Amino acid sequence: AQTVTQSQPEMSVQEAETVTLSCTYDTSESDYYLFWYKQPPSRQMILVIRQEAYKQQNATENRFSVNFQKAAKSFSLKISDSQLGDAAMYFCASKSGGYQKVTFGTGTKLQVIP
Amino acid sequence: DAEITQSPRHKITETGRQVTLACHQTWNHNNMFWYRQDLGHGLRLIHYSYGVQDTNKGEVSDGYSVSRSNTEDLPLTLESAASSQTSVYFCASSESGGAGNTIYFGEGSWLTVV
């Protein structure tokens, strides 16, 4: 079974600053995938970034990047140049390669301060 | 564009009534999922299906059922609604195989049981 832990229920960041959201996971699989989803007040789940465990290079998507530490089972999300539109709930998630089920963390609510 | 739609988006029902939430996707994805989202719990898997006539229980399946008669639809039925089932429900889908490692969500269905 996979578990995903987000230990920061809430975070805040000044507009234009950088913030890092933490996530740890546990899995016995060697083939797995990790994701960050954003959920704005509209409740729509939006994929922010994904990381294949077999890739050593950290994934990046514009202002969003991850720090994937495989040995430590850590998968943090860094948001650079934070914008007001980044305010949302962020969920870390994992999926094993052999199965289609996705396991989610409990989420981190990000507040962006103007 | 392909999409995944849920209906109704909002519903209020009484304790003991049967309720069905519809989910329809036009991506022709084999895999479909139902999650519920509650404060402090993130998203928890209720039921999932890997194809027509296939259904499986997730971690919080008690009181819920699904059926998969075609590729496009996975309706979720609450047999006898309880107040504990007041939640936001998300349907999701993904492809099978190596490309099926990203899950796409519907916009959610808000269910209130009074």
Side-chain angles (χ1 to χ4, degrees), chain A residues 25 32 34 51-59 66-71 73-76:
Chain A
Y25 62 93
Y32 57 93
L34 300 167
Q51 173 82 42
E52 292 86 346
Y54 63 85
K55 290 187 177 179
Q56 293 185 335
Q57 187 174 7
N58 289 326
V66 298
N67 183 6
F68 175 44
Q69 301 290 324
K70 192 171 184 177
K73 295 184 178 178
S74 171
F75 182 61
S76 60

Side-chain angles (χ1 to χ4, degrees), chain A residues 35-70:
Chain A
F35 308 86
W36 279 98
Y37 279 88
K38 171 185 178 181
Q39 187 182 48
S42 67
R43 293 281 191 144
Q44 178 70 43
M45 294 289 286
I46 302 166
L47 178 66
V48 174
I49 200 165
R50 55 174 276 173
Q51 173 82 42
E52 292 86 346
Y54 63 85
K55 290 187 177 179
Q56 293 185 335
Q57 187 174 7
N58 289 326
T60 62
E61 287 289 342
N62 300 313
R63 297 183 294 108
F64 299 87
S65 61
V66 298
N67 183 6
F68 175 44
Q69 301 290 324
K70 192 171 184 177

Side-chain angles (χ1 to χ4, degrees), chain B residues 50-96:
Chain B
Y50 289 159
V52 176
Q53 302 301 329
D54 176 75
T55 61
N56 306 279
K57 294 181 178 180
E59 61 181 306
V60 290
S61 61
D62 288 348
Y64 303 94
S65 64
V66 294
S67 62
R68 188 88 180 271
S69 59
N70 58 53
T71 300
E72 297 79 16
D73 300 290
L74 186 72
L76 176 71
T77 297
L78 286 68
E79 303 294 343
S80 177
S83 58
S84 61
Q85 294 176 309
T86 293
S87 187
V88 182
Y89 291 86
F90 287 93
C91 182
S93 71
S94 69
E95 293 181 71
S96 295

Side-chain angles (χ1 to χ4, degrees), chain A residues 39 42-44, chain B residues 5-12 19-24 34-37 46 76 78 85-91 105-112:
Chain A
Q39 187 182 48
S42 67
R43 293 281 191 144
Q44 178 70 43
Chain B
T5 56
Q6 296 182 227
S7 63
R9 295 291 312 281
H10 298 86
K11 185 173 181 65
I12 301 174
V19 176
T20 296
L21 305 180
C23 176
H24 179 82
W34 275 104
Y35 287 87
R36 61 176 288 175
Q37 183 180 17
I46 305 172
L76 176 71
L78 286 68
Q85 294 176 309
T86 293
S87 187
V88 182
Y89 291 86
F90 287 93
C91 182
F105 287 86
E107 294 183 324
S109 293
W110 278 250
L111 177 66
T112 302

Side-chain angles (χ1 to χ4, degrees), chain A residues 12-19 79 81-84 110-114:
Chain A
S12 62
V13 62
Q14 291 286 143
E15 195 175 4
E17 296 296 310
T18 296
V19 65
I79 306 174
D81 185 25
S82 297
Q83 300 176 1
L84 295 177
L110 178 66
Q111 181 186 16
V112 180
I113 302 167

Side-chain angles (χ1 to χ4, degrees), chain A residues 23-38:
Chain A
C23 173
T24 58
Y25 62 93
D26 191 18
T27 180
S28 58
E29 305 287 333
S30 58
D31 178 25
Y32 57 93
Y33 300 77
L34 300 167
F35 308 86
W36 279 98
Y37 279 88
K38 171 185 178 181

